[in-house]
Amino acid sequence: MKPSFELSPFALLRIVTGLIYIPHVLFKFQAFDMLLGYFAKVGLQPAIFFVLLAIVTETAVVIGLTFNIMTKWLGLASTGTMLVATYTTLFTKGEFLWTWNKGGIEYIFVLGFVSFIVAWEAWRQERAQYGRNFFLWPKAA
């Protein structure tokens, strides 16, 4: 009997979403000084705090979503991070641009939306398995 390894569509989506964050994290290390200026320009002060927060959050998302650790929380953290990224992109452009190749929000919007779906499904699976969502309310007696 051969061991089988099967990924559900949700697991595949979760893993791919986590792995997509790797370039985000690497870019932040490569362009750290530039990001300090960018974050300051869009009003995220102190900029060093928000750049480090983005690095920590996105690194946690890579690890968590890829390896199914704290998926419901890190999916929400990813969604929030992408909402901030959407705001800052629109703020710096001064106009609504959709497609990424013109500096728009298409890519970050999709990443945030998919992250929300990943978090939602993780919450749904927990509720189906345990009859409740941990850390929100106790199970009725």
Side-chain angles (χ1 to χ4, degrees), residues 92-109:
T92 58
K93 301 297 177 187
E95 63 180 306
F96 180 84
L97 296 171
W98 179 249
T99 56
W100 66 269
N101 57 332
K102 294 182 180 179
I105 62 168
E106 163 194 36
Y107 175 75
I108 53 181
F109 174 82

Side-chain angles (χ1 to χ4, degrees), residues 10 14 61 64-65 68-80 115-127 130 132-137:
F10 167 69
R14 175 184 49 76
V61 168
L65 296 187
N68 200 23
I69 302 167
M70 297 177 55
T71 303
K72 63 184 182 180
W73 299 111
L74 290 171
L76 292 177
S78 170
T79 302
S115 296
F116 180 77
I117 297 302
V118 167
W120 180 325
E121 179 62 13
W123 284 86
R124 191 197 66 73
Q125 286 180 2
E126 182 178 287
R127 184 140 182 96
Y130 300 107
R132 64 188 168 133
N133 292 320
F134 289 106
F135 306 115
L136 287 182
W137 56 80

Side-chain angles (χ1 to χ4, degrees), residues 7-137:
L7 283 176
S8 70
F10 167 69
L12 188 58
L13 180 65
R14 175 184 49 76
I15 292 166
V16 169
T17 304
L19 294 175
I20 285 174
Y21 266 96
I22 292 173
H24 278 258
V25 175
L26 294 177
F27 173 76
K28 286 180 176 54
F29 285 112
Q30 294 170 345
F32 192 84
D33 291 335
M34 187 270 306
L35 281 174
L36 287 174
Y38 175 78
F39 277 49
K41 177 182 176 182
V42 298
L44 297 173
Q45 297 287 349
I48 185 75
F49 170 77
F50 286 100
V51 171
L52 293 175
L53 180 62
I55 290 171
V56 168
T57 302
E58 292 178 9
T59 301
V61 168
V62 168
I63 295 166
L65 296 187
T66 303
F67 297 106
N68 200 23
I69 302 167
M70 297 177 55
T71 303
K72 63 184 182 180
W73 299 111
L74 290 171
L76 292 177
S78 170
T79 302
T81 301
M82 290 302 105
L83 283 172
V84 172
T86 299
Y87 165 76
T88 61
T89 301
L90 293 173
F91 179 86
T92 58
K93 301 297 177 187
E95 63 180 306
F96 180 84
L97 296 171
W98 179 249
T99 56
W100 66 269
N101 57 332
K102 294 182 180 179
I105 62 168
E106 163 194 36
Y107 175 75
I108 53 181
F109 174 82
V110 170
L111 187 54
F113 181 76
V114 170
S115 296
F116 180 77
I117 297 302
V118 167
W120 180 325
E121 179 62 13
W123 284 86
R124 191 197 66 73
Q125 286 180 2
E126 182 178 287
R127 184 140 182 96
Q129 183 174 359
Y130 300 107
R132 64 188 168 133
N133 292 320
F134 289 106
F135 306 115
L136 287 182
W137 56 80

